[in-house]
């Protein structure tokens, strides 16, 4: 099989990526409710609420680690955002553009390694870059009215840290756990259990 053929999406790739995306779209919608409910808990330092951000970024990294094909991270993050918008996200359809930005971040990490390395450092980089994509979007769209040093910069940095840990390390651990059950045996992630 040539490298070009190995980058082609199989039916099972599309189905699994779609299942991940739809499942996380529901999680996104519910996480948005939790985000709104926890605002007061972070009154002591409002940018700290970004510690919760990483959950919204998991599907981009998870899809990249499982599917291992160009576009998987972008597809999953964007479809999950579409699903959350359709479910009635309080942020409406702008979350679709946000999902695109976040998915591009993770996609860049996998592309930087030519879709050939899926170890922990790449997962962490994918988490960090999807967090960077989220932070940039929020910096210029949601947080533009807030003070730069007291809110916007700390919020952006905390978003990237949350994404690195929750989406990067978290998706790596989740992929490993799924691989160990055998459910990923149709994917390289399942066959490379020791390497995930």
């Amino acid at each position: 099989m040539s490298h070009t053929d190995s980058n082609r999406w199989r039916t099972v790739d599309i189905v699994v990526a779609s299942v991940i995306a739809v499942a996380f779209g529901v999680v996104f919608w519910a996480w948005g409710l939790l985000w709104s409910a926890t605002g007061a808990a972070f009154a002591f330092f409002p940018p700290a609420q970004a510690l919760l951000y990483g959950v919204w970024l998991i599907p981009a990294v998870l899809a990249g680690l499982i599917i291992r094909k160009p576009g998987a991270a972008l597809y999953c993050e964007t479809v999950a955002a579409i699903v959350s918008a359709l479910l009635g996200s309080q942020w409406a359809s702008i979350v679709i553009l946000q999902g695109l930005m976040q998915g591009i971040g993770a996609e860049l990490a996998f592309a930087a390694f030519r879709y050939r390395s899926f170890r922990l450092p790449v997962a962490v980089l994918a988490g960090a870059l999807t967090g960077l994509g989220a932070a940039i979007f929020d910096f210029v769209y949601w947080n533009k009215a807030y003070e730069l040093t007291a809110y916007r910069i700390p919020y952006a940095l905390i978003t990237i840290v949350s994404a690195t840990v929750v989406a990067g390390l978290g998706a790596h651990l989740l992929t490993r756990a799924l691989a160990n059950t055998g459910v990923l045996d149709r994917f390289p992630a399942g066959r490379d259990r020791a390497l995930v």
Side-chain angles (χ1 to χ4, degrees), residues 22-102:
V22 170
F24 272 95
V26 174
V27 170
F28 284 7
W29 170 80
W31 203 249
L33 298 175
L34 179 71
W35 178 274
S36 296
T38 60
F42 294 97
F44 68 97
F45 185 59
Q49 190 173 19
L51 289 168
L52 303 175
Y53 212 116
V55 170
W56 279 308
L57 308 173
I58 293 172
V61 181
L62 185 64
L65 293 174
I66 292 174
I67 308 298
R68 299 184 176 185
K69 306 274 171 95
L74 180 61
Y75 173 82
C76 269
E77 192 70 26
T78 304
V79 172
I82 291 168
V83 169
S84 74
L86 291 173
L87 289 174
S89 166
Q90 65 262 43
W91 298 291
S93 61
I94 193 65
V95 297
I96 298 169
L97 181 56
Q98 205 163 0
L100 276 166
M101 284 281 297
Q102 294 161 356

Side-chain angles (χ1 to χ4, degrees), residues 75-171:
Y75 173 82
C76 269
E77 192 70 26
T78 304
V79 172
I82 291 168
V83 169
S84 74
L86 291 173
L87 289 174
S89 166
Q90 65 262 43
W91 298 291
S93 61
I94 193 65
V95 297
I96 298 169
L97 181 56
Q98 205 163 0
L100 276 166
M101 284 281 297
Q102 294 161 356
I104 287 169
E107 201 67 48
L108 288 173
F110 295 116
F113 290 89
R114 301 180 65 199
Y115 300 95
R116 292 185 179 163
S117 179
F118 302 93
R119 295 178 186 244
L120 179 59
V122 177
V124 169
L125 178 63
L129 290 181
T130 195
L132 178 62
I136 290 170
F137 184 89
D138 288 1
F139 196 86
V140 299
Y141 187 83
W142 297 114
N143 299 335
K144 65 184 171 194
Y146 292 98
E147 208 276 325
L148 184 66
T149 56
Y151 189 90
R152 291 168 76 191
I153 291 173
Y155 181 95
L157 293 174
I158 294 168
T159 297
I160 294 167
V161 169
S162 176
T164 302
V165 174
V166 177
L169 177 61

